[in-house]
Amino acid sequence: MHVPYRHIRAGTTDSSLWISDSQRCNHFATWIFLSIFVRNIEEQVLINQFTSQANKHLMTKNFTLSAILASMVFANAAAAIDPASYTLSSDGKTLTKWLGSETEIDFATDETLMKVEAIGTYAFQDCSAITIINLNPGLTAIERGAFMDCTSLTTITLPATLTSIGNAAFSDCRTLRSIDFPSSVTTIGTSAFYGCESITNVTLHNTGVTQIADGTFNKCTSLSSVDLGDQITAIGEEAFLGCEAIETLIIPESVSMVGVSAFSECYALKNVTWGTGITEISNYAFAGTAIEAIDFTPLTRLSDIGVNAFQDCTALSSVILPQQEISFGAQAFFRCSALKEIVIPDDYSQVSSKAFYYTSGLEKVTLGKNVTLLKNSAFGSCASLKEIVWNDALETIEWNVFAYCTSLQEVELPESVTSIDDYAFTSCDNLSSVTLGSKITNIGQEAFSMLPKLTTVNVKAATPPALGSYAFYKSNVENCTLRVPQESVEAYKAADQWKDFGTIDGVAGITGITASADAPAITITGSTISINGLANGDHVAVHTIDGRAVAFLNATAPAFSIDVARGIYIVTAGDSTMKVAVR
């Protein structure tokens, strides 16, 4: 059994002067001998202080001898770490296991340990008595789990020769206060400092480390200062998760990727300087932080913001999106209750699925002029949304886009919208008025269901749009007024579900009969409707006056014709709609 090293002199803290209990007995006898020897010399000095010069010379020699003998004892003590306290590899270059119960260890004072080049896998694991370690020059590697669960370790000195620190090397060293990385370090492994809750600062500046591995500083709850240097290219998953004391972060220009949950639960983090080299902000990367404002415009390489990337950033009140179109993961700004307004830049063609889902404080959305598609649930459950600034290009609103936007009171869709998918406006509790443009052709299942305050629906389309099942389910349509083009009243009264409205009024000011100067030509010859001058992909539709589709396609040739029975038809070709009579 080994006990902690003892100090050779009372009160000393110099670990180079330590000897072990197993050595004390041998050294004690020598010490007594030297003490007696020196005392005899001192007495001899007093007796012979007035003697001849020759005797004085002898006295000097005796003093010199005692000093030499004493220094030999001290030197022997300084170098002596009991070999039984550790095991080495066969070549003596790797310390494979520490067996002793020492509290302070200095490799640099032991002739054998000075030759060690690596601390082996789990070599010091659970050595809970150790408080201070000084590693030797020449050491190059600290392997996986080497100091894991050394729960009393407060200080470790890393040599200038160290190049790699393995996975979980210092995991759960809860009292480790600081770590000074030498410039020689190039690799720090996964979870290397996981749970080191007393570390207050990390500086990687001037090291050779280029990637921060997954979980490296996860749960370092006292970490308040981080200097990533200018050579880091990637920050791994959960690298700084739960580092609750970080308030300010500078992401260097060299970083291209911020990993999943990299800074999640950094509850004090409010100021971030974004490196312009970032291309990806991964899922949950900054979830739960205290970030107050984000301006992404300098990030010209950014292409992806991941799922829940900024979830629960409840202090986030301003977001300026990058001007280039990017992909948003679902719920990127989930529960960001302070974010009041979003402007979608003009270069965007769509808003991604659930991009702003449950951004509970969002009150106003402005669509860029080129947005044609709102993907599913893009603004779903934005309970504070009151105002939408539409563009003239929007064509499709996918399912659940504005579902549960309970503060919406009025919706007037642009003329360009042709399709509204399932549940698009369901459960908008305060929505009372809806206006649909002249090009609308399809409204999905329960698109306007559960609207208890709905009183007015205006539809500018001459042909009643096709409705999915229960399009106005529980929206009290029997007490609503439906306003349609004057000439289409009978068609709406005959059309499935539209006919359920309590009042259907024809309004001269609402018209779906439009034609532009360069529109395709629509002609009637006998019972044939012909359309010429179509562009590839132009929408072509022919409906009876009661809303039954006769033709519905996208043009693949410049001309189209169809034979029909006698009657009144609504013909759509490209951007134009015309009512025609076949006699």
Side-chain angles (χ1 to χ4, degrees):
M1 178 178 178
H2 294 85
V3 296
Y5 287 178
R6 308 298 183 186
H7 292 140
I8 194 167
R9 272 202 315 262
T12 184
T13 58
D14 184 354
S15 60
S16 66
L17 300 180
W18 297 339
I19 61 174
S20 64
D21 286 350
S22 62
Q23 296 164 316
R24 274 201 304 156
C25 293
N26 291 336
H27 294 323
F28 183 65
T30 305
W31 181 257
I32 292 174
F33 169 75
L34 288 173
S35 298
I36 295 171
F37 184 70
V38 171
R39 177 65 60 83
N40 287 339
I41 292 175
E42 291 172 347
E43 292 174 356
Q44 187 66 32
V45 169
L46 294 173
I47 294 170
N48 296 323
Q49 59 183 333
F50 299 112
T51 61
S52 66
Q53 186 66 31
N55 285 337
K56 290 179 182 179
H57 184 64
L58 177 61
M59 179 186 69
T60 302
K61 287 185 177 181
N62 287 336
F63 269 126
T64 302
L65 178 60
S66 66
I68 291 172
L69 289 172
S71 67
M72 289 173 62
V73 172
F74 282 119
N76 185 44
I81 293 179
D82 189 351
S85 289
Y86 56 83
T87 60
L88 301 174
S89 60
S90 58
D91 61 4
K93 293 183 178 181
T94 300
L95 189 145
T96 56
K97 191 66 179 175
W98 193 267
L99 304 171
S101 56
E102 294 82 358
T103 59
E104 300 182 14
I105 303 168
D106 189 350
F107 278 52
T109 62
D110 187 277
E111 183 177 354
T112 301
L113 296 182
M114 277 287 288
K115 299 175 183 177
V116 168
E117 297 179 5
I119 306 297
T121 302
Y122 304 110
F124 285 86
Q125 184 180 12
D126 292 320
C127 291
S128 57
I130 298 173
T131 60
I132 298 173
I133 296 177
N134 180 35
L135 297 176
N136 57 295
L139 186 80
T140 60
I142 297 173
E143 295 180 0
R144 183 177 68 254
F147 295 95
M148 179 186 287
D149 295 319
C150 290
T151 54
S152 298
L153 181 64
T154 62
T155 305
I156 188 163
T157 303
L158 305 180
T161 52
L162 184 67
T163 59
S164 66
I165 298 173
N167 297 348
F170 293 91
S171 178
D172 283 319
C173 291
R174 298 172 187 170
T175 59
L176 185 62
R177 293 191 293 264
S178 64
I179 193 79
D180 186 7
F181 296 104
S183 60
S184 55
V185 172
T186 59
T187 303
I188 300 175
T190 299
S191 301
F193 295 91
Y194 176 93
C196 292
E197 57 192 38
S198 297
I199 288 180
T200 59
N201 66 86
V202 167
T203 300
L204 296 173
H205 195 71
N206 293 327
T207 68
V209 177
T210 59
Q211 294 189 345
I212 299 178
D214 297 348
T216 300
F217 300 100
N218 188 321
K219 299 295 183 183
C220 292
T221 53
S222 297
L223 182 61
S224 60
S225 176
V226 177
D227 181 355
L228 298 178
D230 55 8
Q231 75 288 342
I232 300 295
T233 60
I235 301 172
E237 294 185 13
E238 300 185 0
F240 293 91
L241 183 147
C243 294
E244 300 174 358
I246 299 175
E247 295 184 7
T248 300
L249 175 68
I250 298 175
I251 301 177
E253 301 292 309
S254 53
V255 170
S256 62
M257 189 274 293
V258 181
V260 173
S261 298
F263 295 94
S264 181
E265 299 176 23
C266 292
Y267 297 126
L269 180 59
K270 63 174 63 176
N271 299 307
V272 178
T273 300
W274 305 91
T276 59
I278 296 174
T279 61
E280 178 183 354
I281 298 173
S282 301
N283 303 348
Y284 297 92
F286 292 91
T289 62
I291 294 174
E292 297 174 344
I294 303 173
D295 182 357
F296 286 125
T297 52
L299 277 61
T300 57
R301 300 178 187 175
L302 182 65
S303 60
D304 292 279
I305 293 179
V307 172
N308 295 80
F310 295 93
Q311 172 182 314
D312 292 321
C313 293
T314 55
L316 184 61
S317 60
S318 174
V319 173
I320 302 176
L321 298 177
Q323 294 306 298
Q324 74 278 10
E325 185 167 11
I326 67 171
S327 173
F328 291 92
Q331 303 174 183
F333 297 93
F334 186 60
R335 292 197 296 253
C336 292
S337 55
L339 185 59
K340 304 298 183 186
E341 182 176 359
I342 280 290
V343 176
I344 308 299
D346 287 343
D347 284 347
Y348 287 49
S349 63
Q350 64 179 32
V351 179
S352 300
S353 299
K354 291 188 174 181
F356 298 94
Y357 179 80
Y358 213 100
T359 306
S360 54
L362 191 63
E363 296 179 357
K364 181 179 179 180
V365 171
T366 300
L367 299 180
K369 65 182 182 181
N370 293 309
V371 174
T372 62
L373 171 63
L374 301 180
K375 300 201 75 172
N376 69 81
S377 302
F379 299 98
S381 295
C382 291
S384 300
L385 184 61
K386 300 174 182 177
E387 182 180 359
I388 303 166
V389 180
W390 306 97
N391 61 19
D392 294 326
L394 184 65
E395 297 175 357
T396 303
I397 299 173
E398 287 192 350
W399 53 275
N400 276 41
V401 168
F402 294 102
Y404 298 94
C405 291
T406 54
S407 293
L408 274 178
Q409 297 181 19
E410 182 177 344
V411 170
E412 184 173 354
L413 296 179
E415 286 290 304
S416 53
V417 174
T418 61
S419 178
I420 300 171
D421 210 342
D422 301 346
Y423 304 96
F425 290 90
T426 189
S427 301
C428 293
D429 293 349
N430 288 292
L431 186 59
S432 62
S433 175
V434 174
T435 298
L436 307 178
S438 61
K439 296 181 181 178
I440 188 72
T441 58
N442 181 72
I443 297 174
Q445 177 178 328
E446 294 198 40
F448 293 96
S449 66
M450 309 294 287
L451 308 181
K453 294 187 178 180
L454 186 65
T455 60
T456 305
V457 176
N458 301 308
V459 185
K460 298 179 183 180
T463 301
L467 297 178
S469 58
Y470 303 102
F472 291 92
Y473 177 67
K474 288 192 175 181
S475 290
N476 197 32
V477 294
E478 62 273 14
N479 295 315
C480 291
T481 297
L482 174 64
R483 295 192 177 102
V484 299
Q486 184 71 52
E487 68 277 9
S488 301
V489 170
E490 294 306 315
Y492 279 89
K493 286 184 175 180
D496 186 38
Q497 295 189 70
W498 292 112
K499 64 185 180 182
D500 297 333
F501 278 79
T503 302
I504 302 177
D505 288 339
V507 181
I510 299 181
T511 177
I513 309 302
T514 62
S516 58
D518 57 351
I522 301 173
T523 59
I524 308 299
T525 304
S527 62
T528 302
I529 299 173
S530 299
I531 305 172
N532 292 285
L534 291 166
N536 189 44
D538 271 354
H539 176 60
V540 175
V542 179
H543 289 82
T544 62
I545 194 65
D546 62 357
R548 182 174 58 85
V550 177
F552 196 87
L553 70 153
N554 291 322
T556 58
F560 169 80
S561 63
I562 185 172
D563 290 329
V564 295
R566 286 191 299 175
I568 305 298
Y569 294 88
I570 306 299
V571 181
T572 299
D575 293 332
S576 297
T577 301
M578 181 177 294
K579 182 167 66 173
V580 299
V582 176
R583 292 182 168 86

